[in-house]
Amino acid sequence: MTSSSTTEADSMVPPAEQAKEAALAAYRGMWADFVEAGHTSDWQSVKLGVHATGVALTNLSRGLYADHYNGLVTRGEPVLNPTVSSVEPATEPKKIIVSDCGDSTNWLKYRADTGELADEEPGGRRAINAIAEKQSDGSWKISDYGVHELGTC
């Protein structure tokens, strides 16, 4: 398939559907970048800003800094199942709310020096809500998110 036929196919997809896919990709990308940075608690990773901005980026960096300061790293990865719960405005979206029931069962914190599990707190399923916003360059980034208590979904 040539790039021109890809462009033609993309232009046939309604803007709202393209936006939804871009928002979900940004959400998944944000968590993938966070997982990678968590392996070493690299709170300064430039990858964190690829899919996150604003409060979301600040919160990711702060969480990693706290882990770095406390000698913790994260191993494994979460299981994500994001869906779009709202689109604003409906025809030419600028803001999309992503809802998820993330599972952190196999994504836990460990002591960096000993490799031992950092605490007895189990992972599990929890509700996550995120705001994806269209950026001035046309890309989508997560601008804020909230992770709820264990067992909220």
Side-chain angles (χ1 to χ4, degrees):
M1 184 181 279
T2 65
S3 61
S4 63
S5 61
T6 301
T7 304
E8 290 171 22
D10 288 345
S11 66
M12 295 171 59
V13 176
E17 291 305 311
Q18 290 179 17
K20 287 177 185 179
E21 289 304 314
L24 290 172
Y27 177 82
R28 288 185 189 100
M30 176 188 78
W31 288 116
D33 297 340
F34 187 64
V35 166
E36 184 179 328
H39 293 158
T40 58
S41 295
D42 181 5
W43 58 280
Q44 295 177 312
S45 171
V46 295
K47 287 187 176 183
L48 295 174
V50 173
H51 298 102
T53 190
V55 173
L57 179 57
T58 298
N59 289 342
L60 294 171
S61 296
R62 283 184 179 169
L64 288 166
Y65 179 78
D67 286 351
H68 168 80
Y69 182 83
N70 291 310
L72 303 175
V73 294
T74 309
R75 294 189 187 150
E77 60 186 68
V79 176
L80 305 172
N81 297 292
T83 59
V84 170
S85 57
S86 76
V87 178
E88 300 172 24
T91 54
E92 292 285 336
K94 303 280 186 244
K95 178 179 171 181
I96 292 178
I97 304 299
V98 176
S99 298
D100 195 1
C101 180
D103 187 345
S104 61
T105 300
N106 297 309
W107 190 42
L108 302 172
K109 294 188 185 299
Y110 293 82
R111 300 269 337 135
D113 55 354
T114 65
E116 293 178 13
L117 197 57
D119 56 43
E120 298 297 318
E121 293 181 32
R125 298 172 66 81
R126 54 185 80 222
I128 305 170
N129 298 308
I131 300 170
E133 293 185 285
K134 189 171 185 176
Q135 304 299 297
S136 60
D137 66 359
S139 67
W140 284 83
K141 291 187 179 189
I142 303 303
S143 61
D144 199 359
Y145 67 91
V147 178
H148 300 275
E149 293 180 22
L150 198 61
T152 49
C153 62

